Amino acid sequence: MKKGMAVCLALVLLLSMPFAQKEAAVSYTDENLSVEQRVSDLVAKLTLPQKIKLLQYRSTAIDSNGVKVPAYNWWNECLHGVARAGKATVFPQAIGLAATWDTALIFKVADAISDEARAKYNYFSSKGQRGIYQGLNFWTPNINIFRDPRWGRGMETYGEDPFLTGKIAASFVRGLQGNNPNYFKTIATIKHFVVHSGPESSRHRFNANVSDYDFYNTYTPAFKRVIEEAGVYSLMCAYNRFRDKPCCGSDFLLTDLLRKQWGFKGFIVTDCGAVDDFYKKETHQVVATPEEASALAIKAGVDLECGDIFNAIDKAIEKKLITEAELDVALKRLFTARFKLGLFDEKSKLPFNQIPFSVVESAANQQLALEAAKKSIVLLKNEKNALPLGKGLKTLAIIGPNADDEETILANYHGFSSHTVTPLKGITKKLPNTKILYAKGCAHADGLPTYEIIPSTFLFADAGQKSQGLKATYYSNLQFKGEPVLSKIDTLIHFNWIEKLPAAKLNPFGFSVVWEGFITAPTSGNYTLDVFGSNDVELYLNNKKLLELHNTHEPNHSYANIELKKNELQQIKVKYVNRGSNPLITLNWQRPDWNLLDEAMEVAKKADAVVLCMGLSPRIEGEEMKIKLDGFDGGDRVKLALPQVQQNLIKNIAALGKPVVLVLLNGSAVAINWEKDNLPAILESFYGGQAAGTAIADVLFGDYNPSGKLPVTFYRSESDLPAFDDYNMQGRTYRYFTGKPLFPFGFGLSYTKFEFSKIAVQKKQVGNKSVYAVEANIKNIGNFDGEEVAQLYIKSKESKTTSPNCSLKSFQRVALKKGETKKLVFNLSETDFYEQLANDQWNKSNQQFEIFIDGGQPGLGSLKKDIRL
């Protein structure tokens, strides 16, 4: 070798050494490296079988080849409080949060939820628990547009308007994810992308075809806003197809639109079982095999599956349907999320690991839940100032299926509070000197059982009927085996052990109980026996299994009809298994000798006034439910009116001539035409969460001035609407409905009055864009302090067939003392006036607009200003 060449070679080796050493030093455990470097190092060390397991929501633990990754379950929920994981503060259901029209409050609620989420995660992980509902990725919020009140899941949304939905969702996501520059507090997930809002019965095979106009002006704006304004880091694709492709297999939706056009940086998760629908019978069936389904999802842009079809990815790779490099792209997004949650860093350095468990349902969070519940209540009617009621009533009747039903106020996707207040409890506490009379009055719907807890007087631990109750045996395992940790007589089966288990030695993450004894009946006839519980429940009568529940995500009912004879003993056994979430169980029945209407009439006759607590229930509206009743099908609604059995009760009570107030508890709009015409006062409280009863009592008796506004239109009948499965927006929502609504979107009364005046618009140039500052005054001219939601709408003055009637473009919640005046300032951008035709393509042909400001939609008394762009 020549001397010059040797020198050059030595120099090359010398120069390359630091880089080689630096490369060798890269390790995913090194907190001094960037997240990108750490993620790349970790993914490079994984084997194909490990990668496949890590692409599923139940990500298994890895401890091999220098890689140590703990198990992680990606499925968690916090729609209105941390859900399905025991104790938590339960805020109003999402539709109720939307009725507050208060983005600052929404942020505080989400911030409190994420505090509780971190505290729970810290506790669970310290005990080695990494199962379902114990992680930090939350599949919340649901920002689909509530385009039709028949959709059973509409209660999970923020209503029918894209602007309101986007603003509330952005605040909620910011509260969940936090503002730390290096770490996420939790990770939020916006869902279900996109054009998804029922029917529930056909969601696994339905094909949504909509115009570009509706797609860009109704179905996608909220998603785009939350990505751009809140930096949401996760998105869930929907079950249905969009333009012939399953949403979770659409490269247009998940890659072209989300990532390339909108710049979404996070990860995409499928709805649960959505990939199954790619090939299984009676679903979309766009491919023939699991491996084709897996490849289609990954290639379209999916990163994580809620399901187990991705187990076929190895076959997909063998058949060259997909490459391992494509898996790596998805894995890097998933591990980026886990690193940004701090799951691989020293715990002492993380800003959220010091949040104590005592924050869960703390006094501050309980107060926040009450504030949210109060602000969510909408006063729909108050004829001749029937409200507020006086506190000097001698006797008050509280009647209705929702008067004392904890299940109703908690709605769905919920946790469990140790301080749940129904309307009956809230009003009773409010009026210590008033005689309170209560009657259920009727079932929620015709054909739906209505229950009471089976009293101890009809349960016996022995055939000789010497001991009332049932013999209970508690085991600290799931198999009813070994030495029991506790044996005793339980007089009732009605337990909610979210704060304290019945025995200190009982394993909080897995235990079983069996109750045995005898049951007798007070009268002969057909009874409905019911168990309400979580996880696994089985009920046996005379050694034959009568009913069961298995693997319930949330506590649910299972019921069966049985003939019982008066005083005849029947052997009964109830077996219960809890795997660590929502430890509760109740044994109920419906007796044949009840006459709920007669009981309610007797109670009402004795009262000075009546509060009727009516509406719907999460037992009859919700997600893909096995229920078919008059007016209800599969979780969706067929009729908008209150169930006939409730209408009959209301009319019978009203006929007595007593002062009557109607309080509605429901998740979707109801057609209360007769009630509006014939009752003096109506409150809409939605599903108000743990403090619903206190909030309702505060409003009814004047301790809080109602200020909520409807986030949806209340129609007069389902006949006013197009077919439920028609996704065309014409004829739907306040923007395109041409009929007369029962109560309009944005509507809500107050005990005081507000006046708007002095509207002015100033146009400013910021760079090459025009912005508009809209100013107005608002004054409280009534006799109560209160809050008003000032709403700004725009309307094109140039007639176009697709243009909306009007569109919400800004809103502010304002608190005013009586007699006080404040100035409002709304800032609008030029794009607020344009309709979107495609991504970054806008219809700018309309140049003349009207701007309206009022406490609701534009009306005769609204402030109005004409402008030309």
Side-chain angles (χ1 to χ4, degrees):
M1 182 182 295
K2 293 182 179 180
K3 183 177 181 181
M5 291 178 63
V7 170
C8 290
L9 181 59
L11 183 60
V12 169
L13 290 171
L14 183 65
L15 292 172
S16 66
M17 284 178 64
F19 296 97
Q21 290 171 353
K22 183 178 180 181
E23 184 67 27
V26 171
S27 171
Y28 74 92
T29 61
D30 187 348
E31 297 179 31
N32 295 314
L33 299 177
S34 68
V35 169
E36 183 179 3
Q37 287 175 302
R38 297 173 72 186
V39 167
S40 294
D41 175 68
L42 178 52
V43 172
K45 290 182 166 80
L46 299 173
T47 65
L48 178 59
Q50 290 170 341
K51 292 177 181 180
I52 291 172
K53 291 299 183 183
L54 290 167
L55 290 168
Q56 299 170 65
Y57 79 98
R58 288 175 291 210
S59 296
T60 54
I62 297 171
D63 191 357
S64 64
N65 300 324
V67 176
K68 192 167 186 177
V69 177
Y72 189 75
N73 195 302
W74 294 80
W75 188 343
N76 213 338
E77 308 283 358
C78 66
L79 183 62
H80 54 120
V82 180
R84 303 174 176 175
K87 180 179 175 180
T89 306
V90 184
F91 295 92
Q93 175 62 297
I95 195 69
L97 292 175
T100 70
W101 291 57
D102 191 335
T103 54
L105 173 67
I106 299 301
F107 176 85
K108 289 196 294 182
V109 166
D111 188 43
I113 292 171
S114 59
D115 277 349
E116 295 195 8
R118 269 287 175 173
K120 282 176 168 287
Y121 173 79
N122 294 343
Y123 169 73
F124 288 137
S125 59
S126 72
K127 302 295 183 182
Q129 298 296 312
R130 302 182 184 278
I132 193 169
Y133 313 133
Q134 294 174 341
L136 289 169
N137 293 275
F138 290 88
W139 294 351
T140 298
N142 181 342
I143 62 172
N144 292 128
I145 297 302
F146 197 2
R147 65 182 177 90
D148 193 304
R150 287 169 284 197
W151 187 32
R153 297 190 71 181
M155 69 168 110
E156 301 172 26
T157 76
Y158 298 131
E160 69 183 42
D161 182 68
F163 180 81
L164 178 65
T165 295
K167 297 300 286 187
I168 289 179
S171 291
F172 196 89
V173 167
R174 282 192 290 264
L176 287 186
Q177 295 193 163
N179 57 7
N180 186 281
N182 299 315
Y183 296 103
F184 287 120
K185 193 177 182 186
T186 68
I187 289 179
T189 303
I190 49 176
K191 64 183 185 184
H192 310 82
F193 196 70
V194 66
V195 193
H196 177 85
S197 53
E200 285 297 296
S201 60
S202 59
R203 65 183 187 173
H204 299 286
R205 60 183 184 274
F206 185 74
N207 185 27
N209 274 307
V210 299
S211 66
D212 282 348
Y213 179 86
D214 286 343
F215 182 74
Y216 285 108
N217 291 282
T218 294
Y219 292 110
T220 60
F223 287 91
K224 188 171 186 284
R225 182 179 296 277
V226 180
I227 289 168
E228 293 178 344
E229 292 187 4
V232 68
Y233 207 70
S234 175
L235 175 143
M236 177 181 284
C237 47
Y239 283 117
N240 58 276
R241 274 173 290 154
F242 171 69
R243 295 178 180 171
D244 301 325
K245 286 189 176 183
C247 289
C248 291
S250 170
D251 50 356
F252 165 70
L253 292 178
L254 306 186
T255 297
D256 294 345
L257 186 63
L258 272 176
R259 297 198 186 279
K260 293 180 180 179
Q261 296 182 31
W262 293 354
F264 176 64
K265 302 299 183 185
F267 67 90
I268 296 169
V269 58
T270 71
D271 208 337
C272 296
V275 183
D276 301 50
D277 296 343
F278 289 12
Y279 75 97
K280 289 188 175 180
K281 289 182 179 180
E282 299 181 1
T283 62
H284 303 308
Q285 288 186 266
V286 294
V287 296
T289 64
E291 53 265 34
E292 290 175 280
S294 300
L296 176 59
I298 292 287
K299 282 184 171 293
V302 165
D303 303 303
L304 180 70
E305 185 204 10
C306 180
D308 56 11
I309 306 304
F310 275 13
N311 283 324
I313 285 177
D314 55 352
K315 290 184 179 179
I317 290 178
E318 286 176 15
K319 293 181 178 181
K320 298 184 179 180
L321 300 174
I322 195 172
T323 66
E324 192 169 347
E326 288 173 301
L327 304 187
D328 290 349
V329 173
L331 284 164
K332 286 180 180 179
R333 292 182 186 134
L334 295 178
F335 274 113
T336 297
R338 292 175 73 171
F339 275 97
K340 286 190 173 183
L341 285 167
L343 303 188
F344 292 89
D345 290 356
E346 176 60 41
K347 289 185 177 181
S348 61
K349 298 179 181 179
L350 297 179
F352 310 117
N353 277 352
Q354 308 310 314
I355 298 176
F357 196 84
S358 58
V359 76
V360 176
E361 209 190 3
S362 62
N365 287 358
Q366 290 180 49
Q367 186 61 37
L368 184 60
L370 175 59
E371 179 187 355
K374 289 192 290 190
K375 287 188 174 183
S376 72
I377 293 174
V378 182
L379 179 59
L380 295 178
K381 184 180 180 183
N382 193 20
E383 189 177 76
K384 297 180 180 179
N385 296 322
L387 292 177
L389 294 170
K391 295 179 183 177
L393 291 168
K394 292 183 178 180
T395 306
L396 177 66
I398 305 172
I399 297 171
N402 283 332
D404 196 33
D405 191 326
E406 291 186 3
E407 192 178 348
T408 292
I409 61 178
L410 297 181
N412 69 355
Y413 283 87
H414 63 85
F416 280 89
S417 164
S418 57
H419 300 82
T420 303
V421 184
T422 63
L424 175 63
K425 292 176 183 176
I427 295 170
T428 300
K429 185 176 181 181
K430 177 73 66 176
L431 304 177
N433 299 318
T434 298
K435 185 177 182 180
I436 303 295
L437 305 174
Y438 163 68
K440 182 168 286 189
C442 67
H444 283 101
D446 302 87
L448 187 75
T450 181
Y451 305 115
E452 71 169 357
I453 301 165
I454 299 179
S456 60
T457 49
F458 304 109
L459 298 173
F460 301 97
D462 60 284
Q465 304 181 42
K466 294 179 181 179
S467 299
Q468 288 188 338
L470 297 178
K471 179 183 176 182
T473 310
Y474 294 76
Y475 300 87
S476 199
N477 56 64
L478 306 177
Q479 297 81 29
F480 309 95
K481 291 182 178 180
E483 188 71 21
V485 299
L486 178 66
S487 296
K488 66 188 183 81
I489 301 295
D490 285 333
T491 54
L492 299 173
I493 301 182
H494 177 55
F495 298 107
N496 187 346
W497 295 299
I498 62 168
E499 286 203 287
K500 186 178 180 181
L501 294 176
K505 293 182 179 180
L506 213 57
N507 180 3
F509 304 112
F511 65 91
S512 55
V513 191
V514 59
W515 290 273
E516 298 175 278
F518 298 87
I519 184 172
T520 188
T523 187
S524 297
N526 188 271
Y527 287 72
T528 302
L529 294 185
D530 165 83
V531 289
F532 175 69
S534 60
N535 291 188
D536 296 346
V537 187
E538 296 178 347
L539 184 146
Y540 297 80
L541 203 64
N542 298 323
N543 295 316
K544 292 183 179 180
K545 187 187 293 185
L546 185 65
L547 49 87
E548 61 186 342
L549 285 168
H550 287 292
N551 299 319
T552 54
H553 293 305
E554 291 181 329
N556 210 337
H557 288 271
S558 179
Y559 57 87
N561 295 321
I562 188 76
E563 288 289 331
L564 297 177
K565 293 183 178 179
K566 183 177 180 179
N567 297 330
E568 182 176 277
L569 285 180
Q570 308 281 337
Q571 192 173 2
I572 188 170
K573 179 192 290 186
V574 179
K575 299 175 72 175
Y576 174 66
V577 174
N578 185 274
R579 293 181 174 82
S581 65
N582 300 334
L584 75 160
I585 181 172
T586 300
L587 179 61
N588 306 298
W589 66 10
Q590 177 177 267
R591 291 167 47 171
D593 55 342
W594 279 347
N595 192 319
L596 298 179
L597 179 58
D598 286 353
E599 180 184 309
M601 295 301 292
E602 287 302 311
V603 163
K605 289 174 184 177
K606 298 175 183 177
D608 298 324
V610 180
V611 174
L612 285 171
C613 297
M614 315 300 284
L616 303 175
S617 163
R619 290 179 60 201
I620 52 179
E621 62 171 345
E623 181 178 3
E624 202 172 24
M625 302 169 70
K626 293 180 180 179
I627 189 167
K628 192 172 181 66
L629 300 167
D630 181 37
F632 304 90
D633 186 10
D636 294 323
R637 298 166 64 198
V638 179
K639 300 176 182 178
L640 298 189
L642 286 173
Q644 191 62 50
V645 67
Q646 293 194 46
Q647 294 183 52
N648 293 342
L649 174 62
I650 293 170
K651 290 175 182 178
N652 275 281
I653 296 295
L656 296 175
K658 301 289 182 78
V660 175
V661 177
L662 175 61
V663 178
L664 295 171
L665 296 91
N666 45 281
S668 52
V670 288
I672 46 169
N673 298 285
W674 187 93
E675 293 80 4
K676 181 185 179 184
D677 292 340
N678 292 278
L679 300 181
I682 304 174
L683 283 184
E684 171 58 76
S685 68
F686 299 102
Y687 297 138
Q690 68 180 69
T694 303
I696 289 168
D698 283 350
V699 171
L700 287 175
F701 295 95
D703 292 324
Y704 182 79
N705 188 350
S707 55
K709 302 287 183 177
L710 292 180
V712 290
T713 301
F714 276 44
Y715 302 94
R716 296 177 181 272
S717 169
E718 63 277 0
S719 62
D720 289 343
L721 291 162
F724 183 18
D725 59 3
D726 179 0
Y727 271 72
N728 188 311
M729 287 305 298
Q730 290 302 312
R732 297 187 182 283
T733 75
Y734 79 95
R735 295 194 301 154
Y736 305 106
F737 180 60
T738 56
K740 185 178 180 181
L742 187 65
F743 297 104
F745 169 89
F747 177 79
L749 301 173
S750 170
Y751 293 154
T752 191
K753 293 182 180 180
F754 300 95
E755 181 181 76
F756 293 85
S757 63
K758 297 182 179 179
I759 187 172
V761 180
Q762 290 186 328
K763 181 178 180 180
K764 300 178 182 178
Q765 204 69 22
V766 178
N768 60 351
K769 295 182 179 180
S770 298
V771 295
Y772 301 83
V774 184
E775 297 181 354
N777 286 350
I778 180 173
K779 183 177 182 179
N780 183 345
I781 60 172
N783 297 319
F784 294 81
D785 298 343
E787 293 185 59
E788 175 66 302
V789 178
Q791 303 167 42
L792 185 151
Y793 295 83
I794 67 167
K795 181 178 181 179
S796 172
K797 295 188 70 177
E798 299 167 302
S799 177
K800 300 289 181 182
T801 56
T802 57
S803 292
N805 302 318
C806 61
S807 292
L808 179 72
K809 292 298 178 180
S810 192
F811 59 91
Q812 293 181 34
R813 178 180 269 270
V814 188
L816 295 160
K817 302 288 186 183
K818 60 179 182 180
E820 184 180 9
T821 300
K822 287 185 179 180
K823 176 176 281 190
L824 303 169
V825 179
F826 302 93
N827 292 307
L828 303 178
S829 67
E830 201 168 7
T831 55
D832 285 325
F833 295 90
Y834 299 145
E835 296 166 319
Q836 191 170 0
L837 303 178
N839 190 63
D840 290 332
Q841 295 181 30
W842 304 82
N843 174 17
K844 299 183 180 182
S845 61
N846 294 2
Q847 294 293 305
Q848 297 186 77
F849 294 87
E850 295 172 308
I851 296 177
F852 298 87
I853 297 176
D854 206 341
Q857 284 185 54
L860 292 176
S862 302
L863 282 185
K864 187 178 79 168
K865 186 75 172 180
D866 292 350
I867 71 162
R868 175 180 285 274
L869 299 186

